[in-house]
Amino acid sequence: MEVLRVVLLVGHLAALAVLLVSVVVHLGAGRRIGAVLPAAAGALLGTGVLLAAVRTAGDMGNNEPKLAVKLAVATAVFVCALPARRRPDGAHAAPSRNGRSTGPLPYAVAVLTIANAAIAVAWT
């Protein structure tokens, strides 16, 4: 059970990294992220739920209020990331003069993802 938990934790951290990097690339370089953003957000949400299930099955104990808040934030990240998949170019709003997206959703994804990581670390 411990090996599964560690594998899921590594997958969870990898999804977090891919999610943040895709937002930074989208905002900084102006490249379209397409399906990467919602896929990483879904992976983050899925691995988080599986991690909680593995901890419950292994009688490791869970902090239910913390998990509820993290689930709500991860769901909000996923919902904010979905429009990137709906548009073929990954844009969230009308492009600006330099061709980059000017919509607020990539910023919301970044802030909520960082908040979710902060909750995971700071809430004991």
Side-chain angles (χ1 to χ4, degrees), residues 25-46:
V25 166
H26 178 72
L27 294 174
R31 300 176 117 186
R32 302 295 182 215
I33 47 181
V36 174
L37 189 64
L44 188 69
L45 181 61

Side-chain angles (χ1 to χ4, degrees), residues 9-108:
L9 182 61
V10 169
H12 193 63
L13 293 174
L16 175 75
V18 169
L19 187 63
L20 287 175
V21 167
S22 65
V23 169
V24 168
V25 166
H26 178 72
L27 294 174
R31 300 176 117 186
R32 302 295 182 215
I33 47 181
V36 174
L37 189 64
L44 188 69
L45 181 61
T47 56
V49 169
L50 289 174
L51 273 169
V54 166
R55 287 186 59 88
T56 300
D59 290 330
M60 295 178 190
N62 283 326
N63 184 346
E64 282 83 14
K66 174 183 173 180
L67 290 178
V69 170
K70 284 185 55 59
L71 178 62
V73 173
T75 303
V77 168
F78 183 68
V79 168
C80 289
L82 281 178
R85 190 178 74 182
R86 288 191 211 138
R87 302 240 347 236
D89 61 355
H92 301 286
S96 62
R97 287 186 186 161
N98 61 3
R100 289 197 273 186
S101 172
T102 57
L105 291 179
Y107 296 104

